[in-house]
Amino acid sequence: MNKFDLAIDSVRELNQALHDQAKELTEREWHVSNPGGKHNLAVGVNEALSIDIDGHAGYYCAGMNQKATVTVHGNVGVGVAENMMSGVVRVKGSASQAAGATAHGGLLVIEGDAGARCGISMKGVDIVVGGSIGHMSCFMAQAGRLVVCGDAGDALGDSLYETRIYVKGTVKSLGSDCIEKEMRAEHLDELKELLHRAGFNEDPASFKRYGSSRQLYNFKVDNASAY
């Protein structure tokens, strides 16, 4: 196992070492101590490395992740797993705003709460939150699934496209074009699989499903400008 101590080493040195090691494909397990809330930890990793960050991380932790499994044993700042393409990012604590923003694939698990705009403009990632999420989550979300085991704030799913949202608790309000939808057998199966992958022991039948009413983004000739 490779060990990095950010009380001594710099973030630039860590990220460079991760990228170099990924190319060499020799050492798969990494342990990062004393992160101290530093930003941009383990960004842009594109090989199947296992990276444990022992403490709190700052902004954009595990951004642009591909293939790697990154576990943060603490809280994270804005934009964790932003633009993630694949792999797994797990936050043992809570996350600030814009968790999983624009992410295209992979699995993001937040065991605590997530702040505002969780999953904003997500494009295929699966996000599972053990606690609650803040306002404007899944704003303009295009594809993927968001599972919330707690409550959701205002304007959930505003301007939603085809992302599917599952919430166990209460939703303060739904955003434009987001509606509650029927929970059919295939959705229960899908949710059961997502909860299992995330490591949560929850009953899928206790969740409600939300999605787009498909009124906002479909072109209608009657609404076209005369110009």
Side-chain angles (χ1 to χ4, degrees):
M1 177 186 291
N2 280 327
K3 296 184 178 181
F4 243 82
D5 185 349
L6 291 181
I8 302 170
D9 306 306
S10 71
V11 173
R12 180 183 291 274
E13 288 170 331
L14 168 65
N15 287 332
Q16 188 64 60
L18 287 170
H19 294 175
D20 291 344
Q21 191 66 66
K23 295 173 185 176
E24 295 170 9
L25 301 179
T26 54
E27 185 59 68
R28 294 288 184 176
E29 295 186 1
W30 288 70
H31 180 270
V32 180
S33 60
N34 297 310
K38 293 182 173 68
H39 306 316
N40 306 312
L41 301 182
V43 296
V45 180
N46 60 3
E47 289 295 340
L49 306 182
S50 177
I51 304 165
D52 277 276
I53 298 173
D54 192 11
H56 305 309
Y59 297 172
Y60 302 113
C61 179
M64 301 179 289
N65 186 59
Q66 294 190 66
K67 303 178 185 178
T69 296
V70 181
T71 303
V72 180
H73 298 269
N75 302 323
V76 294
V78 172
V80 63
E82 182 264 345
N83 206 37
M84 179 165 76
M85 305 302 286
S86 61
V88 178
V89 176
R90 180 179 292 272
V91 178
K92 292 293 200 176
S94 295
S96 186
Q97 298 186 45
T102 73
H104 288 248
L107 173 66
L108 169 61
V109 180
I110 300 166
E111 295 188 3
D113 298 322
R117 297 175 177 83
C118 177
I120 183 172
S121 194
M122 55 191 274
K123 296 176 173 66
V125 67
D126 290 325
I127 303 175
V128 183
V129 180
S132 299
I133 59 173
H135 65 272
M136 292 294 289
S137 290
C138 270
F139 172 60
M140 292 190 71
Q142 295 161 42
R145 287 85 58 91
L146 170 65
V147 179
V148 182
C149 298
D151 302 324
D154 276 320
L156 176 68
D158 190 86
S159 304
L160 190 68
Y161 287 77
E162 292 302 302
T163 295
R164 293 189 290 279
I165 305 172
Y166 299 97
V167 181
K168 181 179 180 181
T170 61
V171 175
K172 192 166 184 182
S173 68
L174 295 175
S176 299
D177 211 40
C178 185
I179 59 173
E180 183 178 344
K181 293 193 169 186
E182 178 187 4
M183 190 73 130
R184 299 192 297 271
E186 64 264 31
H187 303 119
L188 291 170
D189 290 342
E190 173 180 77
L191 180 54
K192 180 179 179 181
E193 187 269 338
L194 282 169
L195 289 165
H196 176 74
R197 284 173 58 204
F200 291 117
N201 185 23
E202 298 280 357
D203 179 9
S206 63
F207 287 74
K208 293 181 179 179
R209 181 172 73 100
Y210 302 89
S212 174
S213 65
R214 299 172 179 165
Q215 297 299 307
L216 198 61
Y217 67 85
N218 287 341
F219 174 77
K220 295 181 180 179
V221 69
D222 292 341
N223 295 334
S225 167
Y227 300 99

